[in-house]
Amino acid sequence: MYLADRSAPAGAKNGPGRGPVRAPAVASAVLALGTVSMVTDVSSEMVTAVLPLYLVAGLGLSPLGFGALDGVYNGVSALVQLTGGHLADRVRNHKLIAGLGYGLSALCKPLLLLAHSLGPVGVVLALERTGKGLRTAPRDALISLSTPAGLQGRAFGVHRAMDTTGALLGPLAAFLILSVVADGYDTVFGVSACVAVLGVVVLVLFVPGTPGPGVRGPGGEGPGGTGGTGGTGTRGGPAPAGVRPPAVGLRDALALLRLPRLRALAACAALLGLTTVSDAFVYLLLQRRTGMGEQWFPLLPLGTAAVFLLLAVPAGALADRIGRRTVFLTGHALLLAGYGLLLWVPGRQPALPYLVLVLHGLFYAATDGVLPAAVAAIVPRQLRATGLALVGTGQALARFGCSLAFGGAWTLWGPGPALAAAAAGLLCSAVAAAFVLRPPAPSAPTAPDASPRPRGTR
């Protein structure tokens, strides 16, 4: 099924006796990858939904210990992203590298059945996150290379919406298992392993390989690409038909850091990540604040996922239209509002959980697909996975640091002061990002045959 665009792109050819041929707004590769992510997320979110409670209540970890483990859970993925992205560009086979990542994550799920202490659990989670790190940049590169520049936000929104469908079903499955099986954590891990294998099968059978050099890929600017996170960047036009692009080396990857817009975007993503409290801590704070029973804990991610699912596509399309910078920063403002509710609204207020989860889901809808769409508008196609990995790695490493810092602050000061410090940091980071990513000043148009510019004019 395609999501058809209402207007055919320029250059679309008409069939004999027919009107304009409508190009699909979302390519089949995006839908296939969305299906893989949906199935895989059912598996992953089954584990993620019960993991905080399993570690804190089941294994007796302190908030500091959980913060360290949660940091490893995200930090390992960040470190491997660079390897996965560069390797995919170097071998020019994004599907192969993504498949290795999905396969490694699937292999790790059964190992959770054998891990019942902090050390083994940490090792298994690190390996599972290694798989995620390998697959993330090649997968997003496949999405961007299959999509015209002006529809990047919508394509990533569709993928994230399908991915989030799995994030909805995973916690629900975990909740049902824990409802019928006493102390059913091992059952959750076993079912998760079976579902992960299904995701790998779908990838192998239905996801096409990397678009060839003759396939037109996005590059440079598109609608909504002006200003900060979506501006004009280095163009990566298609190579001539039959010409194989040169191999990508480490020097080419490092040269990406010379792109001013990419540097600014990567720095702001990392800065905001330093003050973004991990989902697991948000749910633990909400559970303690409201005093809800432990059996309801796996359902908390459902609220975030439901809002994300409903609004990911509209948010991506809005970013294509009005600018990715605006939508991206608005998402962080909504997250800050959620922190404020957790700090100042009484826990006995029945609307508190719903409001916090809605704002949490809005944050992800406005940022999770918009950020890679902004990166894709800047990075040339032959280095697409590497560029996506650079920004994603910086953001994930920053969130790794935030998990460690927040866990330590919770242990030393308590949850309230720790969240207040994170909220203050997020406010300062958002203001700084708004300044760094501000739209460039418009320059006066110059006629093609205009006389030389006055001295001192750039």
Side-chain angles (χ1 to χ4, degrees):
M1 181 184 294
Y2 292 127
L3 299 179
D5 194 5
R6 291 187 178 275
S7 58
K13 297 181 179 180
N14 300 344
R18 298 180 182 177
V21 177
R22 291 184 177 180
V26 180
S28 59
V30 177
L31 299 177
L33 285 164
T35 302
V36 174
S37 293
M38 179 176 64
V39 174
T40 303
D41 240 33
V42 172
S43 169
S44 298
E45 293 302 323
M46 286 178 67
V47 175
T48 302
V50 302
L51 196 60
L53 202 61
Y54 174 68
L55 294 174
V56 175
L59 299 184
L61 289 185
S62 67
L64 178 59
F66 177 74
L69 195 59
D70 187 66
V72 170
Y73 193 65
N74 294 292
V76 170
S77 172
L79 291 173
V80 179
Q81 268 195 64
L82 279 175
T83 302
H86 179 65
L87 189 60
D89 285 335
R90 188 173 183 83
V91 303
R92 293 189 289 269
N93 193 331
H94 297 81
K95 178 181 175 179
L96 173 64
I97 305 303
L100 291 175
Y102 280 108
L104 179 58
S105 293
L107 288 174
C108 289
K109 295 298 194 308
L111 297 180
L112 287 171
L113 296 169
L114 307 176
H116 297 288
S117 61
L118 177 58
V121 169
V123 171
V124 173
L125 292 180
L127 288 173
E128 199 276 337
R129 291 294 91 179
T130 298
K132 179 175 175 59
L134 280 175
R135 71 181 184 248
T136 298
R139 179 203 65 200
D140 285 350
L142 280 170
I143 294 172
S144 70
L145 292 172
S146 304
T147 306
L151 298 175
Q152 293 279 321
R154 183 186 298 181
F156 279 103
V158 169
H159 174 268
R160 295 320 194 244
M162 297 179 72
D163 181 85
T164 307
T165 301
L168 272 169
L169 298 176
L172 182 59
F175 171 75
L176 293 175
I177 290 173
L178 292 180
S179 298
V180 299
V181 179
D183 197 20
Y185 294 112
D186 284 350
T187 305
V188 170
F189 299 151
V191 174
S192 171
C194 297
V195 177
V197 172
L198 177 60
V200 177
V201 172
V202 174
L203 174 77
V204 172
L205 296 180
F206 298 106
V207 174
T210 303
V215 179
R216 185 180 186 276
E221 64 183 80
T226 59
T229 62
T232 304
T234 304
R235 284 192 176 272
V243 177
R244 188 173 179 83
V248 173
L250 183 59
R251 182 177 300 179
D252 300 311
L254 294 176
L256 285 175
L257 296 175
R258 293 201 294 265
L259 296 175
R261 288 190 182 277
L262 184 64
R263 287 203 310 269
L265 187 57
C268 290
L271 182 64
L272 291 164
L274 278 172
T275 51
T276 300
V277 178
S278 76
D279 297 356
F281 274 126
V282 170
Y283 301 141
L284 283 172
L285 285 165
L286 189 56
Q287 190 250 350
R288 295 196 176 199
R289 180 79 167 164
T290 59
M292 69 176 60
E294 292 183 353
Q295 72 273 18
W296 301 105
F297 186 85
L299 292 181
L300 291 179
L302 289 177
T304 298
V307 178
F308 189 9
L309 172 62
L310 291 174
L311 298 178
V313 177
L318 182 65
D320 288 336
R321 190 163 59 250
I322 71 172
R324 290 155 192 158
R325 167 186 178 271
T326 301
V327 175
F328 184 71
L329 293 176
T330 299
H332 287 86
L334 293 169
L335 180 64
L336 184 62
Y339 292 171
L341 290 179
L342 278 173
L343 284 169
W344 295 307
V345 174
R348 61 181 179 275
Q349 174 60 248
L352 177 62
Y354 304 101
L355 291 174
V356 170
L357 294 176
V358 165
L359 290 169
H360 203 224
L362 284 169
F363 159 69
Y364 277 112
T367 60
D368 196 61
V370 172
L371 181 60
V375 177
I378 297 172
V379 180
R381 61 175 286 122
Q382 68 271 17
L383 289 167
R384 191 63 49 82
T386 304
L388 288 163
L390 281 171
V391 177
T393 296
Q395 183 185 56
L397 286 176
R399 290 183 175 178
F400 167 78
C402 183
S403 290
L404 293 177
F406 190 84
W410 184 332
T411 302
L412 294 174
W413 305 335
L419 184 60
L426 180 59
L427 177 60
C428 296
S429 299
V431 172
F435 176 78
V436 172
L437 300 177
R438 67 191 186 281
S443 57
T446 303
D449 57 346
S451 58
R453 296 175 181 174
R455 184 175 300 174
T457 303
R458 291 195 173 191

